[in-house]
Short mmCIF file of all heavy atoms in Angstrom, two decimals:
data_model
loop_
_atom_site.label_atom_id
_atom_site.label_comp_id
_atom_site.label_asym_id
_atom_site.label_seq_id
_atom_site.Cartn_x
_atom_site.Cartn_y
_atom_site.Cartn_z
N SER O 40 48.20 161.90 67.26
CA SER O 40 49.32 161.63 68.18
C SER O 40 48.79 161.04 69.44
O SER O 40 47.74 161.43 69.96
CB SER O 40 50.03 162.93 68.47
OG SER O 40 50.84 162.82 69.60
N THR O 42 49.68 161.41 72.39
CA THR O 42 49.58 162.34 73.52
C THR O 42 48.80 163.61 73.19
O THR O 42 48.84 164.59 73.92
CB THR O 42 50.99 162.78 73.98
OG1 THR O 42 51.77 163.07 72.83
CG2 THR O 42 51.69 161.66 74.74
N ALA O 43 48.08 163.56 72.07
CA ALA O 43 47.32 164.76 71.64
C ALA O 43 46.29 165.15 72.68
O ALA O 43 45.69 164.31 73.33
CB ALA O 43 46.65 164.48 70.31
N ASN O 62 42.69 146.42 56.77
CA ASN O 62 44.13 146.58 56.42
C ASN O 62 44.82 145.23 56.40
O ASN O 62 44.73 144.46 57.40
CB ASN O 62 44.76 147.49 57.47
CG ASN O 62 46.22 147.87 57.09
OD1 ASN O 62 47.09 147.00 56.99
ND2 ASN O 62 46.43 149.14 56.84
N SER O 63 45.46 144.93 55.28
CA SER O 63 46.04 143.59 55.18
C SER O 63 47.14 143.36 56.24
O SER O 63 47.37 142.27 56.67
CB SER O 63 46.63 143.39 53.76
OG SER O 63 47.81 144.12 53.59
N GLY O 64 47.81 144.44 56.64
CA GLY O 64 48.86 144.32 57.65
C GLY O 64 48.28 143.73 58.94
O GLY O 64 48.86 142.84 59.55
N ILE O 67 47.11 140.03 58.41
CA ILE O 67 48.26 139.13 58.38
C ILE O 67 48.84 138.98 59.79
O ILE O 67 49.23 137.89 60.22
CB ILE O 67 49.35 139.62 57.40
CG1 ILE O 67 48.80 139.61 55.98
CG2 ILE O 67 50.61 138.77 57.47
CD1 ILE O 67 49.70 140.33 54.96
N GLN O 125 71.59 134.84 61.69
CA GLN O 125 72.88 134.97 61.01
C GLN O 125 73.68 133.68 60.95
O GLN O 125 74.56 133.56 60.08
CB GLN O 125 73.76 136.03 61.68
CG GLN O 125 73.13 137.41 61.73
CD GLN O 125 72.79 137.97 60.37
OE1 GLN O 125 73.39 137.60 59.35
NE2 GLN O 125 71.81 138.86 60.30
N ASN O 129 71.28 130.92 58.04
CA ASN O 129 71.93 131.57 56.92
C ASN O 129 71.99 130.69 55.69
O ASN O 129 72.28 129.48 55.80
CB ASN O 129 73.36 131.98 57.37
CG ASN O 129 74.07 132.80 56.30
OD1 ASN O 129 74.53 132.27 55.28
ND2 ASN O 129 74.10 134.11 56.49
N TYR O 130 71.72 131.28 54.57
CA TYR O 130 71.61 130.48 53.29
C TYR O 130 72.96 129.90 52.90
O TYR O 130 73.03 128.74 52.52
CB TYR O 130 71.08 131.38 52.16
CG TYR O 130 70.93 130.65 50.86
CD1 TYR O 130 69.74 129.93 50.60
CD2 TYR O 130 71.90 130.67 49.88
CE1 TYR O 130 69.60 129.23 49.42
CE2 TYR O 130 71.73 130.00 48.70
CZ TYR O 130 70.58 129.27 48.47
OH TYR O 130 70.43 128.61 47.26
N ASP O 131 74.03 130.69 53.05
CA ASP O 131 75.33 130.24 52.53
C ASP O 131 76.10 129.31 53.46
O ASP O 131 76.62 128.31 53.05
CB ASP O 131 76.19 131.47 52.19
CG ASP O 131 75.59 132.31 51.09
OD1 ASP O 131 75.38 131.77 50.04
OD2 ASP O 131 75.28 133.46 51.36
N ARG O 148 65.90 128.00 51.41
CA ARG O 148 65.81 129.39 51.81
C ARG O 148 64.96 129.45 53.11
O ARG O 148 63.78 129.67 53.04
CB ARG O 148 65.20 130.21 50.69
CG ARG O 148 65.53 131.66 50.73
CD ARG O 148 64.94 132.41 49.60
NE ARG O 148 65.83 132.56 48.50
CZ ARG O 148 65.50 132.42 47.23
NH1 ARG O 148 64.28 132.07 46.93
NH2 ARG O 148 66.37 132.59 46.26
N LEU O 150 64.75 131.58 55.37
CA LEU O 150 64.18 132.86 55.74
C LEU O 150 63.45 133.48 54.51
O LEU O 150 63.30 134.71 54.43
CB LEU O 150 65.25 133.80 56.27
CG LEU O 150 65.90 133.31 57.56
CD1 LEU O 150 67.09 134.20 57.97
CD2 LEU O 150 64.91 133.25 58.70
N GLY O 151 63.03 132.63 53.58
CA GLY O 151 62.20 133.09 52.46
C GLY O 151 60.83 133.43 52.89
O GLY O 151 60.46 133.17 54.09
N THR O 152 60.01 134.03 52.07
CA THR O 152 58.65 134.48 52.48
C THR O 152 57.80 133.34 53.05
O THR O 152 57.00 133.54 53.94
CB THR O 152 57.93 135.17 51.35
OG1 THR O 152 58.08 134.45 50.18
CG2 THR O 152 58.37 136.59 51.12
N ASP O 153 57.96 132.15 52.48
CA ASP O 153 57.13 131.02 52.92
C ASP O 153 57.52 130.49 54.28
O ASP O 153 56.70 129.94 55.04
CB ASP O 153 57.22 129.82 51.90
CG ASP O 153 56.58 130.19 50.59
OD1 ASP O 153 55.76 131.14 50.58
OD2 ASP O 153 56.95 129.57 49.58
N LYS O 155 59.76 132.07 56.68
CA LYS O 155 60.29 132.96 57.72
C LYS O 155 59.51 132.92 59.02
O LYS O 155 60.09 132.87 60.10
CB LYS O 155 60.35 134.38 57.19
CG LYS O 155 61.35 135.28 57.94
CD LYS O 155 61.56 136.55 57.21
CE LYS O 155 62.74 137.28 57.72
NZ LYS O 155 63.09 138.50 56.98
N PRO O 236 64.70 143.40 60.64
CA PRO O 236 65.30 144.55 61.30
C PRO O 236 65.16 145.89 60.61
O PRO O 236 65.22 146.91 61.25
CB PRO O 236 66.81 144.14 61.40
CG PRO O 236 67.02 143.15 60.32
CD PRO O 236 65.69 142.45 60.08
N VAL O 237 65.01 145.85 59.28
CA VAL O 237 65.02 147.18 58.56
C VAL O 237 63.58 147.74 58.57
O VAL O 237 63.41 148.91 58.89
CB VAL O 237 65.53 146.97 57.14
CG1 VAL O 237 65.48 148.29 56.39
CG2 VAL O 237 66.93 146.44 57.14
N GLN O 238 62.63 146.97 58.11
CA GLN O 238 61.28 147.43 58.12
C GLN O 238 60.32 146.26 58.29
O GLN O 238 60.72 145.11 58.06
CB GLN O 238 60.93 148.23 56.88
CG GLN O 238 61.42 147.60 55.62
CD GLN O 238 61.37 148.54 54.41
OE1 GLN O 238 60.47 149.38 54.35
NE2 GLN O 238 62.30 148.45 53.51
N THR O 239 59.11 146.55 58.72
CA THR O 239 58.16 145.47 59.01
C THR O 239 57.89 144.65 57.75
O THR O 239 57.69 145.20 56.68
CB THR O 239 56.87 146.13 59.51
OG1 THR O 239 57.20 146.97 60.62
CG2 THR O 239 55.88 145.08 59.97
N GLU O 240 57.83 143.32 57.94
CA GLU O 240 57.54 142.44 56.82
C GLU O 240 56.31 141.62 57.10
O GLU O 240 56.04 141.26 58.27
CB GLU O 240 58.72 141.50 56.57
CG GLU O 240 59.96 142.19 56.05
CD GLU O 240 61.19 141.27 56.04
OE1 GLU O 240 61.02 140.07 55.92
OE2 GLU O 240 62.30 141.83 56.10
N GLY O 241 55.60 141.29 56.06
CA GLY O 241 54.34 140.52 56.20
C GLY O 241 54.59 139.18 56.83
O GLY O 241 53.78 138.71 57.63
N SER O 242 55.74 138.57 56.56
CA SER O 242 55.99 137.23 57.07
C SER O 242 56.24 137.19 58.59
O SER O 242 56.13 136.16 59.22
CB SER O 242 57.18 136.61 56.34
OG SER O 242 58.24 137.48 56.31
N TYR O 251 52.49 149.41 66.73
CA TYR O 251 53.65 150.33 66.84
C TYR O 251 53.74 151.18 65.55
O TYR O 251 53.90 152.37 65.60
CB TYR O 251 54.90 149.52 67.07
CG TYR O 251 56.17 150.32 67.26
CD1 TYR O 251 56.59 150.70 68.52
CD2 TYR O 251 56.95 150.73 66.19
CE1 TYR O 251 57.74 151.43 68.75
CE2 TYR O 251 58.14 151.45 66.36
CZ TYR O 251 58.52 151.81 67.64
OH TYR O 251 59.67 152.53 67.80
N PHE O 255 53.31 155.14 65.51
CA PHE O 255 54.53 155.95 65.34
C PHE O 255 54.98 156.10 63.89
O PHE O 255 55.96 156.80 63.63
CB PHE O 255 55.67 155.37 66.17
CG PHE O 255 55.39 155.40 67.65
CD1 PHE O 255 55.20 154.26 68.35
CD2 PHE O 255 55.31 156.63 68.34
CE1 PHE O 255 54.92 154.27 69.74
CE2 PHE O 255 55.07 156.69 69.69
CZ PHE O 255 54.88 155.46 70.39
N LYS O 258 59.29 152.99 58.40
CA LYS O 258 60.34 153.51 57.49
C LYS O 258 59.66 154.13 56.27
O LYS O 258 58.94 153.47 55.53
CB LYS O 258 61.26 152.39 57.07
CG LYS O 258 62.47 152.90 56.29
CD LYS O 258 63.51 151.81 56.09
CE LYS O 258 64.65 152.25 55.19
NZ LYS O 258 65.42 153.38 55.72
N GLY O 259 59.89 155.44 56.07
CA GLY O 259 59.32 156.13 54.95
C GLY O 259 57.83 156.45 55.16
O GLY O 259 57.21 157.00 54.22
N VAL O 260 57.28 156.15 56.28
CA VAL O 260 55.86 156.42 56.52
C VAL O 260 55.73 157.44 57.66
O VAL O 260 56.17 157.19 58.77
CB VAL O 260 55.08 155.12 56.92
CG1 VAL O 260 53.62 155.43 57.07
CG2 VAL O 260 55.31 154.06 55.86
N VAL O 261 55.14 158.60 57.34
CA VAL O 261 54.98 159.60 58.39
C VAL O 261 53.56 159.62 58.92
O VAL O 261 53.31 160.26 59.95
CB VAL O 261 55.35 161.02 57.88
CG1 VAL O 261 56.81 161.14 57.55
CG2 VAL O 261 54.50 161.40 56.67
N ARG O 263 50.49 158.85 61.06
CA ARG O 263 50.31 158.23 62.36
C ARG O 263 48.82 158.22 62.70
O ARG O 263 48.08 159.15 62.34
CB ARG O 263 51.03 159.04 63.43
CG ARG O 263 52.53 159.12 63.22
CD ARG O 263 53.15 160.12 64.14
NE ARG O 263 52.51 161.45 64.09
CZ ARG O 263 52.53 162.35 65.01
NH1 ARG O 263 53.16 162.14 66.13
NH2 ARG O 263 51.91 163.52 64.88
N ASP V 67 64.88 155.15 68.48
CA ASP V 67 63.49 155.25 68.88
C ASP V 67 63.08 156.65 69.33
O ASP V 67 62.03 156.85 69.91
CB ASP V 67 63.17 154.24 69.99
CG ASP V 67 62.93 152.84 69.41
OD1 ASP V 67 62.72 152.74 68.17
OD2 ASP V 67 62.96 151.87 70.16
N THR V 70 59.60 157.91 68.82
CA THR V 70 58.50 157.54 69.71
C THR V 70 58.39 158.54 70.87
O THR V 70 57.39 158.54 71.58
CB THR V 70 58.66 156.13 70.30
OG1 THR V 70 59.82 156.11 71.11
CG2 THR V 70 58.76 155.11 69.16
N SER V 73 57.15 163.41 69.58
CA SER V 73 55.80 164.02 69.49
C SER V 73 55.30 164.43 70.84
O SER V 73 54.90 165.61 71.05
CB SER V 73 54.82 163.05 68.88
OG SER V 73 54.93 163.05 67.48
N ALA V 74 55.35 163.48 71.80
CA ALA V 74 54.87 163.77 73.14
C ALA V 74 55.67 164.90 73.77
O ALA V 74 55.14 165.79 74.42
CB ALA V 74 54.93 162.51 73.98
N GLU V 77 54.86 168.25 72.10
CA GLU V 77 53.46 168.68 72.43
C GLU V 77 53.38 169.20 73.88
O GLU V 77 52.64 170.11 74.18
CB GLU V 77 52.51 167.50 72.27
CG GLU V 77 52.08 167.23 70.85
CD GLU V 77 51.46 165.86 70.64
OE1 GLU V 77 51.17 165.18 71.62
OE2 GLU V 77 51.27 165.49 69.46
N GLN V 94 56.99 167.05 58.33
CA GLN V 94 55.54 166.79 58.25
C GLN V 94 54.87 166.56 59.63
O GLN V 94 53.77 167.04 59.85
CB GLN V 94 55.29 165.58 57.37
CG GLN V 94 55.75 165.85 55.92
CD GLN V 94 55.61 164.60 55.07
OE1 GLN V 94 54.53 164.24 54.59
NE2 GLN V 94 56.71 163.95 54.88
N VAL V 95 55.56 165.84 60.51
CA VAL V 95 54.92 165.50 61.78
C VAL V 95 55.19 166.56 62.85
O VAL V 95 54.26 167.00 63.56
CB VAL V 95 55.39 164.13 62.28
CG1 VAL V 95 54.73 163.76 63.60
CG2 VAL V 95 55.05 163.07 61.22
N ASP V 182 66.02 140.81 51.27
CA ASP V 182 64.54 140.87 51.36
C ASP V 182 64.03 142.22 51.83
O ASP V 182 63.04 142.75 51.32
CB ASP V 182 63.96 139.75 52.24
CG ASP V 182 64.59 139.69 53.63
OD1 ASP V 182 65.39 140.56 53.97
OD2 ASP V 182 64.25 138.73 54.37
N ALA V 183 64.82 142.85 52.73
CA ALA V 183 64.35 144.13 53.30
C ALA V 183 64.27 145.24 52.27
O ALA V 183 63.51 146.18 52.45
CB ALA V 183 65.34 144.55 54.39
N ASN V 186 61.29 145.91 48.16
CA ASN V 186 60.28 146.94 47.83
C ASN V 186 60.94 148.19 47.24
O ASN V 186 60.40 148.82 46.35
CB ASN V 186 59.44 147.29 49.06
CG ASN V 186 60.28 147.81 50.20
OD1 ASN V 186 61.48 147.65 50.22
ND2 ASN V 186 59.67 148.42 51.18
N GLY V 236 71.26 132.85 46.42
CA GLY V 236 70.47 132.90 47.68
C GLY V 236 69.59 134.14 47.78
O GLY V 236 68.75 134.25 48.66
N ALA V 237 69.77 135.10 46.84
CA ALA V 237 68.93 136.35 46.91
C ALA V 237 67.50 136.00 46.38
O ALA V 237 67.37 135.19 45.51
CB ALA V 237 69.57 137.41 46.06
N ALA V 240 68.19 137.06 53.62
CA ALA V 240 67.80 137.79 54.82
C ALA V 240 68.83 138.90 55.07
O ALA V 240 70.04 138.63 55.10
CB ALA V 240 67.76 136.85 56.02
N TYR V 241 68.36 140.11 55.23
CA TYR V 241 69.22 141.27 55.48
C TYR V 241 70.16 140.96 56.62
O TYR V 241 69.70 140.47 57.67
CB TYR V 241 68.37 142.49 55.79
CG TYR V 241 69.17 143.68 56.33
CD1 TYR V 241 69.75 144.56 55.47
CD2 TYR V 241 69.32 143.85 57.70
CE1 TYR V 241 70.50 145.62 55.96
CE2 TYR V 241 70.04 144.90 58.21
CZ TYR V 241 70.63 145.79 57.32
OH TYR V 241 71.36 146.85 57.84
N PRO V 242 71.45 141.25 56.57
CA PRO V 242 72.19 141.87 55.48
C PRO V 242 73.04 140.87 54.67
O PRO V 242 74.09 141.24 54.12
CB PRO V 242 73.07 142.87 56.22
CG PRO V 242 73.41 142.11 57.48
CD PRO V 242 72.27 141.20 57.79
N SER V 243 72.62 139.61 54.66
CA SER V 243 73.47 138.57 54.07
C SER V 243 73.87 138.82 52.62
O SER V 243 74.98 138.63 52.24
CB SER V 243 72.75 137.20 54.15
OG SER V 243 72.54 136.89 55.49
N LYS V 247 77.76 140.22 50.63
CA LYS V 247 78.54 139.47 49.59
C LYS V 247 79.41 140.43 48.76
O LYS V 247 80.37 139.97 48.17
CB LYS V 247 77.60 138.70 48.70
CG LYS V 247 77.03 137.47 49.43
CD LYS V 247 76.15 136.64 48.58
CE LYS V 247 75.74 135.42 49.41
NZ LYS V 247 74.71 134.64 48.80
N TYR V 261 74.11 154.56 52.86
CA TYR V 261 74.58 153.96 54.12
C TYR V 261 74.95 152.49 53.97
O TYR V 261 75.60 151.89 54.82
CB TYR V 261 73.56 154.15 55.24
CG TYR V 261 72.14 153.94 54.87
CD1 TYR V 261 71.61 152.73 54.60
CD2 TYR V 261 71.26 155.08 54.81
CE1 TYR V 261 70.26 152.56 54.26
CE2 TYR V 261 69.95 154.94 54.49
CZ TYR V 261 69.43 153.68 54.21
OH TYR V 261 68.11 153.51 53.85
N TRP V 361 60.82 157.17 49.69
CA TRP V 361 61.06 155.76 49.98
C TRP V 361 59.72 154.99 49.88
O TRP V 361 59.03 154.85 50.85
CB TRP V 361 61.70 155.56 51.37
CG TRP V 361 62.15 154.19 51.65
CD1 TRP V 361 61.36 153.10 51.97
CD2 TRP V 361 63.47 153.66 51.57
NE1 TRP V 361 62.12 152.00 52.14
CE2 TRP V 361 63.44 152.31 51.87
CE3 TRP V 361 64.73 154.24 51.28
CZ2 TRP V 361 64.60 151.50 51.92
CZ3 TRP V 361 65.84 153.43 51.31
CH2 TRP V 361 65.79 152.11 51.62
N ASN V 366 53.36 152.98 50.21
CA ASN V 366 53.46 152.42 51.55
C ASN V 366 52.33 152.81 52.51
O ASN V 366 52.37 152.40 53.67
CB ASN V 366 54.83 152.67 52.18
CG ASN V 366 55.13 154.15 52.36
OD1 ASN V 366 54.20 154.97 52.27
ND2 ASN V 366 56.38 154.51 52.55
N PRO V 369 46.32 150.26 52.07
CA PRO V 369 45.86 149.28 53.07
C PRO V 369 46.42 147.91 52.84
O PRO V 369 46.53 147.11 53.81
CB PRO V 369 44.33 149.27 52.94
CG PRO V 369 43.99 150.56 52.27
CD PRO V 369 45.15 150.95 51.43
N ALA V 370 46.79 147.58 51.60
CA ALA V 370 47.29 146.23 51.31
C ALA V 370 48.83 146.23 51.22
O ALA V 370 49.41 145.33 50.63
CB ALA V 370 46.67 145.65 50.04
N GLN V 372 51.33 145.62 53.22
CA GLN V 372 52.11 144.45 53.70
C GLN V 372 52.05 143.27 52.71
O GLN V 372 53.03 142.61 52.48
CB GLN V 372 51.58 143.97 55.06
CG GLN V 372 52.03 144.83 56.22
CD GLN V 372 53.53 145.01 56.29
OE1 GLN V 372 54.30 144.23 55.80
NE2 GLN V 372 53.96 146.12 56.87
N THR V 373 50.85 143.07 52.12
CA THR V 373 50.75 142.01 51.11
C THR V 373 51.55 142.36 49.90
O THR V 373 52.25 141.51 49.32
CB THR V 373 49.26 141.84 50.71
OG1 THR V 373 48.48 141.77 51.88
CG2 THR V 373 49.05 140.57 49.90
N ARG V 375 54.28 144.16 49.79
CA ARG V 375 55.70 143.95 50.13
C ARG V 375 56.09 142.50 50.01
O ARG V 375 57.15 142.16 49.45
CB ARG V 375 55.98 144.46 51.55
CG ARG V 375 56.02 145.97 51.70
CD ARG V 375 56.86 146.36 52.87
NE ARG V 375 58.23 146.02 52.64
CZ ARG V 375 58.98 145.33 53.48
NH1 ARG V 375 58.51 144.94 54.62
NH2 ARG V 375 60.23 145.06 53.17
N ASP V 376 55.23 141.66 50.51
CA ASP V 376 55.52 140.20 50.38
C ASP V 376 55.55 139.77 48.91
O ASP V 376 56.38 138.95 48.52
CB ASP V 376 54.44 139.37 51.13
CG ASP V 376 54.72 139.35 52.63
OD1 ASP V 376 55.69 139.96 53.06
OD2 ASP V 376 53.92 138.73 53.36
N VAL V 379 58.85 140.61 47.30
CA VAL V 379 59.90 139.63 47.66
C VAL V 379 59.66 138.36 46.87
O VAL V 379 60.62 137.77 46.34
CB VAL V 379 59.92 139.35 49.19
CG1 VAL V 379 61.02 138.38 49.54
CG2 VAL V 379 60.04 140.61 50.00
N GLU V 380 58.40 137.91 46.81
CA GLU V 380 58.07 136.67 46.07
C GLU V 380 58.45 136.81 44.60
O GLU V 380 58.88 135.84 43.98
CB GLU V 380 56.58 136.37 46.21
CG GLU V 380 56.25 135.80 47.59
CD GLU V 380 54.75 135.72 47.84
OE1 GLU V 380 53.97 136.14 46.97
OE2 GLU V 380 54.37 135.24 48.92
N GLU V 383 61.86 136.16 44.36
CA GLU V 383 62.11 134.72 44.62
C GLU V 383 61.75 133.87 43.41
O GLU V 383 61.95 132.67 43.43
CB GLU V 383 61.26 134.28 45.85
CG GLU V 383 61.81 134.74 47.18
CD GLU V 383 60.91 134.39 48.36
OE1 GLU V 383 59.75 134.02 48.14
OE2 GLU V 383 61.35 134.52 49.50
N LYS V 385 58.56 133.61 41.99
CA LYS V 385 57.27 132.98 42.08
C LYS V 385 56.27 133.44 41.03
O LYS V 385 55.15 132.94 40.99
CB LYS V 385 56.70 133.15 43.47
CG LYS V 385 57.47 132.37 44.50
CD LYS V 385 56.86 132.37 45.87
CE LYS V 385 57.72 131.50 46.80
NZ LYS V 385 57.55 131.86 48.19
#
Side-chain angles (χ1 to χ4, degrees):
Chain O
S40 162
T42 46
N62 187 297
S63 74
I67 296 170
Q125 302 301 335
N129 186 283
Y130 182 84
D131 296 301
R148 202 178 266 137
L150 297 174
T152 43
D153 293 339
K155 202 168 193 175
V237 179
Q238 45 194 325
T239 306
E240 292 172 25
S242 49
Y251 183 92
F255 297 111
K258 188 170 174 63
V260 182
V261 293
R263 300 169 306 157
Chain V
D67 279 344
T70 63
S73 279
E77 279 164 10
Q94 296 174 80
V95 179
D182 52 6
N186 58 344
Y241 168 86
S243 297
K247 285 182 177 170
Y261 40 72
W361 189 282
N366 63 15
Q372 282 307 334
T373 311
R375 285 205 66 230
D376 280 1
V379 182
E380 285 170 357
E383 285 175 346
K385 290 187 180 158

